[in-house]
Amino acid sequence: MSELTRSQAIFVRHEFAIRRLHSLLGIVPLGLYMCIHLTTNASLLNGPETFQRAVYYIHSLGAALPLVEWGGIFLPLLFHAILGVWIIRTGRSNLGHYKFTGNKRYVWQRWTGLIAFVFLTFHVLHLHGWFHASPWLAIVKPLGFANFYPYNAASSLAMSMDRFIWGFWPAFYLIGVLATVYHLANGLWTAGITWGLWVTPTAQERATKVCTVFGVVLALIGTAAWWAAVSPGPEEIAQARQIEDEMYDAAVQTGLAYDMPEKRYEGEAERTLEPELIVEEVVIEVIETVEPSETPGEETPSEKTPSEESATDPTPAAE
């Protein structure tokens, strides 16, 4: 038995549980997280204060944040994506023979899944760098990745959208967001089939309407989040940076945020500055000697030679 056949046998033997776990992780936690994530980013339209406050709440988890990221996002995403690629490779589409809407959605679901996986992979690299280890960040930052600073959320997000060939990142993010939204909305419908929630034609038609409305609303929210990230210009970015710095001082004092300079844009810039480029302040003390000025009516003492002194001395010479 070949390796591929053995893998197929394992999948067929546990297909019932694997497919349900695959669809469940696509909804919870991944789908739920995407809804929260897009809504949080769309709050940037209300101003950098709203967005920064939301980011502070997320990062208030402190040391537990990496556990939440890997346990609730990255590992489920890897499982869902790898299994999705396996399903694509082993599945067969009959769209070439039957141009039904269901067959088109079957193909679109798989293509948008691939686009979403590529998009999310580079999205995490572009903003967060995949890993937070300093040696790794020292490699990816000069390449234009790991651009997001949580304590300067709005300004660093807007700046990161313009740090490549003009128009690349905005177009990449818009296509990725819309593909991911479609994959989730249509995935809700297929998950209902997998879990036996709607099996009759009437129930499926009703579910189609609900999933369509959900997809349209989420696409609008995602587009609003995208526009809030790509639209600010240099002046808006500078204003956002000033607001974020003021909020940081207040957040540290109130305990909302930890005092972690590495999560600020300026703090990172100071740490990456070459030692030989750091110029210390040098105070040069200048001592200036001022000679006393002559007072009217007074004669400034001057040195005289003995001959001059005797010539001008009014005392009569001794006889």
Side-chain angles (χ1 to χ4, degrees):
M1 181 180 295
S2 63
E3 186 67 27
L4 180 60
T5 306
R6 189 179 301 113
S7 301
Q8 288 177 334
I10 295 175
F11 179 80
V12 172
R13 192 181 310 121
H14 304 284
E15 182 179 6
F16 182 86
I18 291 176
R19 284 190 177 273
R20 277 150 185 77
L21 181 60
H22 177 261
S23 63
L24 178 62
L25 292 178
I27 300 173
V28 180
L30 297 178
L32 178 61
Y33 170 75
M34 190 177 77
C35 294
I36 297 174
H37 184 59
L38 292 179
T39 304
T40 301
N41 286 8
S43 68
L44 182 55
L45 290 176
N46 194 45
E49 300 94 338
T50 304
F51 183 53
Q52 186 62 64
R53 194 175 298 111
V55 175
Y56 276 146
Y57 282 123
I58 295 173
H59 284 261
S60 64
L61 294 173
L65 182 59
L67 299 177
V68 174
E69 290 177 336
W70 280 96
I73 303 173
F74 297 143
L75 291 180
L77 176 61
L78 288 174
F79 176 85
H80 186 82
I82 293 173
L83 187 58
V85 172
W86 171 254
I87 293 174
I88 293 174
R89 290 188 58 186
T90 57
R92 294 182 179 179
S93 172
N94 58 0
L95 182 60
H97 301 285
Y98 304 99
K99 302 292 184 180
F100 297 131
T101 302
N103 293 338
K104 294 179 181 178
R105 289 168 56 178
Y106 176 91
V107 174
W108 295 341
Q109 181 69 5
R110 275 131 188 85
W111 275 109
T112 54
L114 289 175
I115 295 173
F117 181 59
V118 173
F119 163 67
L120 293 175
T121 300
F122 280 93
H123 165 55
V124 177
L125 175 63
H126 178 219
L127 294 184
H128 301 282
W130 287 345
F131 308 103
H132 300 299
S134 298
W136 170 256
L137 293 177
I139 297 175
V140 299
K141 280 183 177 295
L143 300 177
F145 300 117
N147 293 315
F148 182 73
Y149 296 87
Y151 290 171
N152 291 104
S155 59
S156 62
L157 177 61
M159 289 178 61
S160 66
M161 291 298 169
D162 196 31
R163 286 190 171 181
F164 202 67
I165 301 173
W166 186 89
F168 173 80
W169 285 122
F172 177 79
Y173 271 79
L174 181 60
I175 295 172
V177 167
L178 294 180
T180 306
V181 168
Y182 177 88
H183 189 75
L184 174 61
N186 191 62
L188 285 174
W189 189 89
T190 58
I193 301 295
T194 302
W195 287 87
L197 299 179
W198 35 78
V199 292
T200 63
T202 303
Q204 291 179 6
E205 183 179 358
R206 190 182 306 116
T208 299
K209 296 179 181 179
V210 173
C211 292
T212 300
V213 172
F214 169 78
V216 171
V217 172
L218 190 59
L220 293 175
I221 295 175
T223 304
W226 169 81
W227 178 250
V230 303
S231 61
E235 294 183 1
E236 291 84 358
I237 294 176
Q239 293 174 359
R241 177 68 51 77
Q242 182 178 0
I243 293 173
E244 292 158 358
D245 292 341
E246 295 174 355
M247 291 183 65
Y248 174 75
D249 296 332
V252 171
Q253 292 177 1
T254 58
L256 179 61
Y258 298 99
D259 187 10
M260 303 178 69
E262 66 271 14
K263 293 188 176 184
R264 302 181 66 192
Y265 183 80
E266 283 117 353
E268 184 67 25
E270 292 174 359
R271 285 197 310 281
T272 56
L273 192 63
E274 295 294 335
E276 60 268 17
L277 297 182
I278 299 178
V279 180
E280 297 182 356
E281 183 180 3
V282 178
V283 178
I284 301 176
E285 183 177 0
V286 179
I287 302 176
E288 183 179 358
T289 303
V290 181
E291 296 182 356
S293 59
E294 296 183 0
T295 305
E298 293 185 359
E299 182 180 353
T300 302
S302 60
E303 295 183 0
K304 299 180 180 179
T305 62
S307 60
E308 291 176 343
E309 186 175 355
S310 59
T312 58
D313 190 354
T315 304
E319 298 180 356

